[in-house]
Amino acid sequence: MKLRIINKFIKKSLMLCCLIAFFINVEGCSKSKQEGDLKNQQAQKSANIVAAKYDKNLEAILGDDGLIYEILEDGDKASMAVATYNDVGLTDITVPEAVVYEEKEYNVTEIKASAFESNLLLEKIVLSKGLERIGESAFYSCPELKEVVFSDTIKSIGNSCFAECPELSGIELPSSLESLGVEVFCNCTSLKKVTIPAKISTIGNAVFYGCESLEECSFEKGVVQVAAEMF
């Protein structure tokens, strides 16, 4: 009788141990998943932040990504702009969300005028979140540029920004865009389709002049003013 009671007790103890082990395992898996997700988020954030230092030879702020930056002062708030590039061999460029310089983090909000003008090798450009302005002629005459990935924070694209880029075939303008300058996509002969976002209030003349392959240009509801000579 006593032996039977002991056996029952052992069985119940084993079952209880199994249940405890199961819940510990589930909790461990959940914790590992959360830690993995956090690491992925941190890695993604790190990928969008570039370290930079002052280069005496260039007399400029040079990022680890081969781009040259410039500090923009706006009252108490300072940000960074991409001024140009130093690494002439770059074919794919990602403009980061932020730059760390002298132990301070600056958001990247602008690409300066003519920053990548006449870059002969550039094929793809990714514009990260936080970028608001692209200066005129920033990517003017980049003969190999095929793809531009816009962030949903860009508000203005300057005059002739992507003009004379004959390989640029597909673009998706961001919904945040408010202004398109003059001749932005002039002579982009491979461009086939474009949609003008609703927030755009002004469109400059000859935006799509010389885009001989353009088959479709649609306007979202809300566009206020369209240039008389867009094409």
Side-chain angles (χ1 to χ4, degrees):
M1 181 72 177
K2 187 180 289 186
L3 183 60
R4 189 179 299 172
I5 293 172
I6 292 172
N7 286 337
K8 283 184 179 180
F9 176 77
I10 291 172
K11 285 181 181 180
K12 287 182 178 179
S13 298
L14 286 172
M15 288 177 65
L16 182 61
C17 288
C18 289
L19 284 171
I20 292 171
F22 172 77
F23 285 114
I24 290 173
N25 185 53
V26 169
E27 185 178 353
C29 290
S30 178
K31 187 176 181 181
S32 297
K33 185 178 183 303
Q34 290 174 355
E35 289 175 350
D37 291 342
L38 181 60
K39 285 181 180 179
N40 288 336
Q41 290 173 4
Q42 290 173 340
Q44 187 175 9
K45 184 178 180 181
S46 298
N48 286 328
I49 298 178
V50 168
K53 60 183 179 180
Y54 187 79
D55 188 291
K56 292 182 180 179
N57 294 323
L58 296 171
E59 295 184 346
I61 300 170
L62 178 62
D64 289 345
D65 54 357
L67 302 183
I68 293 175
Y69 296 91
E70 179 181 314
I71 296 176
L72 301 174
E73 298 289 351
D74 183 15
D76 295 333
K77 187 178 180 182
S79 61
M80 281 276 188
V82 179
T84 185
Y85 59 97
N86 182 56
D87 188 345
V88 295
L90 293 171
T91 57
D92 291 12
I93 292 174
T94 297
V95 173
E97 289 184 25
V99 173
V100 176
Y101 175 64
E102 294 184 342
E103 299 183 352
K104 184 177 179 180
E105 187 174 305
Y106 297 84
N107 293 329
V108 178
T109 59
E110 182 178 342
I111 298 176
K112 302 291 281 186
S114 303
F116 298 92
E117 182 177 349
S118 300
N119 185 311
L120 300 179
L121 299 179
L122 185 60
E123 297 179 3
K124 180 180 178 179
I125 182 85
V126 178
L127 307 173
S128 294
K129 193 176 182 67
L131 191 71
E132 296 179 359
R133 301 173 297 279
I134 308 176
E136 62 180 67
S137 301
F139 300 95
Y140 178 84
S141 190
C142 293
E144 298 301 319
L145 183 61
K146 299 176 177 66
E147 184 179 1
V148 179
V149 180
F150 293 96
S151 67
D152 60 1
T153 55
I154 295 171
K155 295 179 180 179
S156 66
I157 299 177
N159 298 343
S160 303
C161 186
F162 297 100
E164 307 294 341
C165 293
E167 295 298 316
L168 188 60
S169 59
I171 55 167
E172 187 174 340
L173 296 175
S175 59
S176 56
L177 191 63
E178 297 174 0
S179 174
L180 268 177
V182 174
E183 298 181 353
V184 172
F185 297 102
C186 180
N187 288 328
C188 290
T189 52
S190 296
L191 193 63
K192 294 180 179 179
K193 180 181 178 181
V194 66
T195 298
I196 308 299
K199 285 186 178 180
I200 286 188
S201 57
T202 57
I203 300 175
N205 286 329
V207 172
F208 301 108
Y209 179 81
C211 296
E212 56 190 36
S213 298
L214 189 63
E215 298 172 353
E216 182 181 341
C217 180
S218 57
F219 297 82
E220 291 184 352
K221 187 177 180 181
V223 177
V224 176
Q225 184 177 341
V226 177
E229 298 179 358
M230 280 183 61
F231 308 96

